[in-house]
Amino acid sequence: MSKESERQTRGGRIDPELSWAGWKVVAFDPKKPLSAYNKCAVKEFPTENGPADYALCSAGKVLGVVEAKKVSLGPQNVLTQAERYSKGATTNPLNFRGYRVPFLYSTNGEVIWHHDVRYPLSRSRRISHFHTPGALTERLQQDFDKACQRLKSLPNNHQLIRPYQVEANTAVEQAISDQKRHMLLAMATGTGKTFTMVNQIYRLMKSGAAKRILFMVDRRALAAQAVRAFASFEAEPGLKFDKIYEVYSQRFHREDFDEDEKFDPKVLPASYLLDPRSGHAFVYVCTIQRMTMNLFGREAAFEISDESMDEDDDRLDIPVHAFDLIVADECHRGYTGKQLAVWRDTLDHFDAIKIGLTATPASHTTTYFRDVVYRYEYERAVREGFLVDYDAVTIKSDVRLNGVFLREGEQVGVIDPESGAEQLDLLEAERQFPSEEVEIKVTSPDSNRKILEEIKKYALEHQEQYKRFPKTLIFAANDLQHTSHADQLVEIARDVFGQGDSFVQKITGSPTVDRPLQRIREFRNRKVPAIAVTVDLLSTGVDIPDLEFIVLLRAVKSRILFEQMLGRGTRKGEHYPDKTHFVVFDCFDGTLLEYFRKATAITAEPPRPEPRSITDIIEDIWSNRDRDYNIRCLVKRLQRIDRDMAGDYREQFAAFIPDGDVGKFASQIPQIQRKDFVKTMALLRSEKFQELLIKYRRKPRTFLVAFDTEDKVTSSTAISDARGNKWKPEDYLAAFARFIHENSTEIEAIRILLSRPKGWSTDALRELRQKLMLAPEQFTEKNLQRAHEMSYRKALVDIISMVKHAARDDEPLFTAQQRVNRAIMKVTGSHGFSAEQMQWLERIRQHLIENLSVDRSDFDAVPIFSRYGGWARANRAFEGELPDLLKQFNEAIAA
């Protein structure tokens, strides 16, 4: 425990911290009036309840009280002392429910706790630095409660906003009104998180609840996308967001925008960060890496990302109140433990409301942002028609499931991963590569070709049915230099699909891809390329609404990554409004989809641990920190070095250990350190020996091309029910047929369709749909239609046909339009009608195609009828015979 006294803590830690924040540390002088202490931290300031350690004074007022403790004591629970001094500062002209000083602090020089006692719901919180005099003056002038009242009274009726986005805004605003400072918004990919938050930010700025906003993303491409979102948002009729409030960004590169796009982002003036003013009202869009660099320097920034930075990016002394609100977009990102620490430090620097946005909450995001204030799941979005569901095609490949077996005498290609040089070789002994080593140590061109040929069958079927080639995204295992799986897939796909080089493109972060962000936009907005091969560049934050095929040739184990990959296809079509679903090709015989089928809303996926260096392990042994455990760790590390190092490096190790045998030395360490600990540790702690342990040359990696390996590839289609279960189309329809047979007399709607069509009505149709959804299989019309389409090559079969066909195989399958036209002809075929009656009959026909039933109430409730006079006028046109006519239509529909 530190022996540092409180006096030493105050002089060596707290005084400098206050000075950094702009407070002049001075002793109290009873001869001076309060107005003489401007921007001063006054030591031992007297109150009726005793002297405060520091009083933060400015413009004739005491704005803050600081309670100081020595560094060895935790400061959180001593805020009550600051409260006592606040109540005792009776000469101060302020008064908030008996508190005469509003802003309270407690600190031990390393940790600072803060409490704004003006509001009953305000909670104390830890902050990174003291507020500046300007920050406290600004906050004193603000009335946060009134701003929240204005916020909640603003109408939320933007013409493009969706109901669930209004719900999300309401939840966020309630949390802010309740004085919550951390919150998480979890919305499925494709449901408009950015639009929701841009609308939210506008409302916060307009109400005055927050004026200086930081919108932080994890990649420069997403920053450019966010800038476009703010610029295109029509905040008020005829006025875009950036015409009402300033929108700034970090410096972009030209390739971050389309070639024909206006490239005019405004770079934030440094003064906005260094000297925040109450009159500032702006949004600053930047990457987490850029803000980390501004706060902690380049080295810290590179810990969290390897994205390039501009030469003039500088470290800045940014005060904690620079922003009122921080939005962390795509905050699910998987970090190592060290990266997560930097990510947290960056967010924690600012004393601001923090909102995390994600489609896939991870454990570290829920831990940091605490409250998931609103959740909009993928299943609900599909159910409400804002996203599309997916069909699953399982592709069974012997190579992907069982690996590659090479026989003695088999010819293989041997590639040098360093240079790309390739030579042919004959195996002198058989070799077995398990499936997890495929595309890492060995590849089978035949396997990749047959999988792509299988996918081509589905693509051509799609093209025949929809008159367009499905935009396809293929996730490859890797894009390593000279042994790239992505490159191989591109080459084979160009050959298999035969549409030229531009038809298939690789889009990864590899240096071999020219302007990858431009390639992404071309894939999104143009018909060609129709197929993109990626690894993870397109797995998150990229909006491709017309994507219809997703091919999983990468065996991922991260739920977050898997859900983000599937999220690329969930959006409704932009150029193709008839996109009703997308197709996922699981090239591992459905094992990926099954593995992640029970993915929870909160993905319990901890940050990847940062491996300790071998020197850290040795130092822990020397310091007797969990010695036995660390010795076991050291043995494993040395054995790994023995397996990985190039053979000629044994000679260099021989200068330290017998024969340079690292493996043998590792196995002997537990014994020899017990015999002579100091001597053993002297060797292990030797600078030259440790340098060798770190910088030893690794054995050359080899990569084999199994030319003669032939793969067996088959596929089958599956339908996802509402519970996530996968069904073969024929099994789904068989289950549906069983349900119809078992309930043919139990469910009135089914009984009407099978034996009593005169009873068909809107109520019967409603009952049928409800009962199907309540079945264990949760039958939906959309899934049933897709099953019929796959099994019978008949698209958009109506629900009545499906029920009748399930009961009797000889019943024909009709579309809703075919069924309605047939019914209309049956009822009206031999009658003559006036022009007005024909107009009403056409309206009835259109309504029946959409609803498969019609009743009197529809005429005054449905616009296609009500706008032309509703029931009264329609019945008059048919001379009072319309009720009987509707009964005939309903009976003919059900017949």
Side-chain angles (χ1 to χ4, degrees):
M1 182 176 289
S2 173
K3 296 181 179 180
E4 183 175 292
S5 67
E6 182 178 315
R7 181 179 178 183
Q8 290 172 318
T9 296
R10 290 172 66 169
R13 300 174 189 267
I14 300 174
D15 288 359
E17 182 68 30
L18 286 165
S19 297
W20 183 88
W23 299 98
K24 182 180 179 181
V25 181
V26 298
F28 175 72
D29 185 347
K31 297 178 181 179
K32 288 184 177 180
L34 186 57
S35 59
Y37 299 110
N38 191 41
K39 300 180 181 179
C40 290
V42 183
K43 294 182 177 181
E44 303 302 326
F45 187 87
T47 76
E48 290 184 2
N49 295 328
D53 291 333
Y54 299 88
L56 306 182
C57 305
S58 191
K61 301 181 184 70
V62 182
L63 302 180
V65 167
V66 181
E67 174 63 21
K69 293 296 177 184
K70 60 183 179 181
V71 72
S72 60
L73 295 178
Q76 180 177 3
N77 294 320
V78 297
L79 273 171
T80 52
Q81 291 179 243
E83 291 179 7
R84 191 169 69 248
Y85 298 137
S86 171
K87 290 178 178 179
T90 54
T91 58
N92 199 39
L94 304 175
N95 194 338
F96 301 93
R97 299 178 298 110
Y99 292 101
R100 307 306 295 269
V101 180
F103 306 116
L104 310 183
Y105 302 86
S106 60
T107 182
N108 65 355
E110 294 298 320
V111 176
I112 303 171
W113 278 82
H114 167 62
H115 192 192
D116 180 351
V117 294
R118 293 176 298 165
Y119 306 107
L121 294 180
S122 174
R123 290 183 55 189
S124 60
R125 59 185 180 269
R126 184 171 171 173
I127 59 176
S128 62
H129 299 283
F130 288 108
H131 297 100
T132 67
L136 294 190
T137 300
E138 178 186 0
R139 290 175 64 188
L140 185 63
Q141 295 169 350
Q142 295 172 342
D143 189 328
F144 187 72
D145 280 351
K146 283 189 177 179
C148 288
Q149 290 172 13
R150 289 193 298 270
L151 173 65
K152 295 171 79 170
S153 67
L154 288 175
N156 196 359
N157 54 5
H158 192 283
Q159 60 180 353
L160 298 181
I161 201 163
R162 297 170 177 175
Y164 63 86
Q165 293 170 328
V166 174
E167 293 173 7
N169 290 152
T170 301
V172 168
E173 290 165 13
Q174 185 60 53
I176 290 174
S177 298
D178 291 342
Q179 298 279 334
K180 292 184 178 180
R181 308 281 294 180
H182 292 70
M183 62 199 76
L184 189 63
L185 205 59
M187 297 172 64
T189 298
T191 55
K193 291 187 296 295
T194 303
F195 180 90
T196 303
M197 192 47 57
V198 171
N199 184 60
Q200 184 67 79
I201 288 170
Y202 171 71
R203 292 172 57 78
L204 288 165
M205 296 181 76
K206 185 172 183 177
S207 66
K211 291 188 175 181
R212 299 187 294 267
I213 316 294
L214 173 61
F215 195 97
M216 200 158 56
V217 299
D218 69 349
R219 294 206 308 270
R220 208 174 58 235
L222 299 183
Q225 188 172 300
V227 169
R228 285 192 290 265
F230 279 101
S232 62
F233 181 80
E234 188 172 2
E236 296 179 9
L239 284 176
K240 301 295 187 184
F241 188 108
D242 60 355
K243 301 304 179 186
I244 301 173
Y245 297 111
E246 296 173 293
V247 177
Y248 294 103
S249 68
Q250 67 181 79
R251 186 172 286 103
F252 288 115
H253 297 169
R254 185 65 191 89
E255 59 267 24
D256 295 332
F257 294 84
D258 289 333
E259 292 176 351
D260 56 352
E261 186 174 3
K262 185 179 179 182
F263 180 62
D264 188 29
K266 297 178 182 178
V267 176
L268 182 74
S271 62
Y272 277 47
L273 293 175
L274 299 174
D275 185 21
R277 302 291 181 89
S278 59
H280 290 165
F282 66 90
V283 176
Y284 177 43
V285 180
C286 79
T287 61
I288 179 75
Q289 181 203 27
R290 171 62 183 254
M291 186 52 66
T292 300
M293 191 279 306
N294 286 153
L295 292 173
F296 309 118
R298 286 176 174 270
E299 186 175 341
F302 279 120
E303 287 288 351
I304 207 164
S305 171
D306 58 2
E307 198 167 55
S308 63
M309 290 184 291
D310 296 314
E311 290 300 320
D312 59 347
D313 286 349
D314 297 320
R315 184 171 180 175
L316 304 172
D317 289 332
I318 304 175
V320 297
H321 71 293
F323 301 102
D324 305 316
L325 174 80
I326 298 176
V327 176
D329 194 16
E330 303 291 354
C331 64
H332 60 269
R333 174 175 169 162
Y335 292 109
T336 64
K338 192 171 184 180
Q339 287 174 327
L340 179 58
V342 175
W343 178 81
R344 281 175 170 265
D345 287 345
T346 301
L347 288 172
D348 283 344
H349 174 83
F350 298 103
D351 182 32
I353 296 168
K354 289 148 190 164
I355 302 176
L357 298 183
T358 184
T360 49
S363 58
H364 72 271
T365 51
T366 52
T367 299
Y368 183 83
F369 290 103
R370 302 171 194 169
D371 290 322
V372 182
V373 296
Y374 184 74
R375 192 189 305 277
Y376 189 66
E377 301 90 347
Y378 170 64
E379 291 76 13
R380 180 183 165 192
V382 170
R383 190 168 63 248
E384 295 179 352
F386 293 109
L387 294 180
V388 298
D389 203 354
Y390 69 90
D391 287 342
V393 174
T394 58
I395 293 184
K396 184 175 182 179
S397 156
D398 285 351
V399 165
R400 305 292 152 178
L401 295 177
N402 304 314
V404 173
F405 178 75
L406 300 175
R407 295 175 176 80
E408 180 182 345
E410 195 167 327
Q411 188 176 68
V412 296
V414 181
I415 297 177
D416 180 354
E418 298 298 321
S419 66
E422 181 177 357
Q423 62 182 29
L424 296 178
D425 193 15
L426 293 177
L427 291 181
E428 297 182 17
E430 63 185 32
R431 295 190 67 176
Q432 174 73 47
F433 294 91
S435 58
E436 57 267 22
E437 292 182 352
V438 174
E439 308 307 343
I440 298 174
K441 293 184 178 181
V442 66
T443 187
S444 166
D446 183 72
S447 175
N448 286 315
R449 176 176 292 277
K450 284 179 176 173
I451 288 172
L452 291 177
E453 287 174 343
E454 196 71 15
I455 291 165
K456 181 183 178 181
K457 297 176 185 177
Y458 290 88
L460 293 180
E461 289 178 2
H462 184 284
Q463 189 172 29
E464 180 181 353
Q465 179 178 343
Y466 294 101
K467 311 306 178 188
R468 63 175 180 270
F469 189 91
K471 192 164 280 290
T472 302
L473 181 60
I474 301 174
F475 285 98
N478 60 65
D479 189 23
L480 302 173
Q481 292 295 322
H482 307 306
T483 61
S484 168
H485 185 220
D487 283 344
Q488 185 185 159
L489 289 174
V490 168
E491 183 179 1
I492 293 175
R494 286 171 175 170
D495 187 41
V496 167
F497 290 93
Q499 299 291 322
D501 283 9
S502 61
F503 193 76
V504 183
Q505 292 287 316
K506 180 176 81 169
I507 307 178
T508 69
S510 166
T512 62
V513 178
D514 179 44
R515 302 182 70 178
L517 301 181
Q518 179 67 22
R519 302 288 84 79
I520 291 173
R521 289 189 289 273
E522 290 172 353
F523 181 58
R524 182 200 189 281
N525 298 321
R526 303 177 184 176
K527 288 186 177 181
V528 173
I531 300 173
V533 179
T534 190
V535 177
D536 58 13
L537 189 63
L538 295 177
S539 64
T540 181
V542 177
D543 177 11
I544 309 174
D546 293 326
L547 191 66
E548 295 185 278
F549 279 14
I550 293 177
V551 180
L552 303 178
L553 266 166
R554 179 183 178 190
V556 296
K557 294 297 182 183
S558 162
R559 268 199 182 92
I560 292 175
L561 181 56
F562 177 79
E563 291 172 10
Q564 289 289 326
M565 290 162 71
L566 260 61
R568 300 313 100 207
T570 59
R571 291 173 175 84
K572 299 175 77 172
E574 184 174 78
H575 301 100
Y576 308 133
D578 58 340
K579 175 186 172 182
T580 58
H581 65 286
F582 65 105
V583 182
V584 178
F585 294 85
D586 182 344
C587 300
F588 301 89
D589 196 25
T591 56
L592 285 182
L593 290 168
E594 181 59 28
Y595 180 78
F596 292 113
R597 183 172 67 85
K598 298 179 181 178
T600 59
I602 299 295
T603 304
E605 192 167 306
R608 302 187 305 277
E610 187 78 16
R612 288 185 299 162
S613 68
I614 194 168
T615 57
D616 289 339
I617 294 173
I618 292 171
E619 200 58 33
D620 283 345
I621 296 172
W622 174 249
S623 301
N624 279 328
R625 282 192 287 267
D626 205 351
R627 184 196 285 188
D628 290 343
Y629 167 73
N630 281 300
I631 286 174
R632 293 196 299 272
C633 292
L634 178 61
V635 169
K636 290 182 178 180
R637 290 290 182 92
L638 292 173
Q639 289 172 338
R640 188 187 307 165
I641 290 172
D642 184 62
R643 292 192 302 269
D644 290 347
M645 71 177 177
D648 57 358
Y649 260 64
R650 297 187 190 281
E651 298 176 6
Q652 298 193 40
F653 275 105
F656 300 94
I657 57 179
D659 301 323
D661 192 338
V662 178
K664 185 177 180 180
F665 173 69
S667 65
Q668 294 174 343
I669 279 181
Q671 292 78 35
I672 63 176
Q673 63 89 23
R674 279 197 293 268
K675 290 181 181 178
D676 194 336
F677 180 74
V678 174
K679 183 178 179 181
T680 304
M681 294 309 301
L683 168 62
L684 291 170
R685 299 180 75 214
S686 162
E687 185 176 332
K688 290 185 177 179
F689 184 65
Q690 288 191 358
E691 183 178 1
L692 196 58
L693 290 175
I694 296 169
K695 297 183 178 179
Y696 69 91
R697 187 161 57 85
R698 274 63 173 172
K699 65 184 178 185
R701 185 172 73 91
T702 58
F703 187 82
L704 300 185
V705 183
F707 293 116
D708 294 341
T709 298
E710 293 189 5
D711 195 10
K712 182 179 179 181
V713 175
T714 58
S715 66
S716 60
T717 304
I719 288 174
S720 304
D721 67 19
R723 295 178 178 176
N725 299 309
K726 302 296 177 224
W727 296 78
K728 292 181 179 180
E730 57 271 25
D731 293 340
Y732 194 67
L733 292 181
F736 179 63
R738 284 195 301 273
F739 178 84
I740 297 299
H741 282 291
E742 291 169 2
N743 292 278
S744 60
T745 59
E746 303 296 323
I747 296 176
E748 179 65 13
I750 297 177
R751 194 164 67 84
I752 288 171
L753 286 177
L754 299 183
S755 60
R756 198 168 57 82
K758 284 187 177 181
W760 186 247
S761 66
T762 300
D763 289 340
L765 178 60
R766 185 182 301 112
E767 182 203 14
L768 176 63
R769 287 169 171 160
Q770 289 173 346
K771 295 295 185 182
L772 291 177
M773 274 300 296
L774 291 174
E777 299 81 1
Q778 293 181 300
F779 296 112
T780 66
E781 285 181 70
K782 187 176 292 185
N783 275 348
L784 288 168
Q785 284 179 336
R786 293 213 291 268
H788 280 85
E789 182 179 341
M790 294 169 191
S791 298
Y792 298 104
R793 312 292 297 164
K794 179 75 174 180
L796 300 176
V797 177
D798 72 85
I799 187 65
I800 296 174
S801 292
M802 292 188 282
V803 170
K804 288 176 172 289
H805 188 78
R808 296 186 288 269
D809 287 344
D810 58 347
E811 284 283 346
L813 294 171
F814 296 117
T815 65
Q817 184 170 347
Q818 289 170 336
R819 177 169 292 278
V820 170
N821 289 344
R822 175 172 164 269
I824 294 284
M825 181 60 66
K826 180 178 179 180
V827 173
T828 66
S830 60
H831 295 77
F833 294 96
S834 68
E836 183 182 9
Q837 289 173 334
M838 290 298 293
Q839 289 175 340
W840 280 106
L841 287 173
E842 175 57 23
R843 292 169 194 141
I844 292 170
R845 188 185 75 86
Q846 292 177 29
H847 177 79
L848 284 170
I849 289 172
E850 293 295 322
N851 300 278
L852 290 176
S853 66
V854 60
D855 64 26
R856 176 173 177 165
S857 62
D858 293 330
F859 282 78
D860 292 320
V862 180
I864 196 173
F865 299 134
S866 62
R867 73 166 64 105
Y868 297 104
W871 174 259
R873 185 164 181 177
N875 194 34
R876 188 165 57 248
F878 286 97
E879 299 176 353
E881 296 183 3
L882 187 55
D884 183 61
L885 191 61
L886 296 186
K887 289 180 182 178
Q888 294 180 54
F889 283 143
N890 283 331
E891 181 182 357
I893 289 289

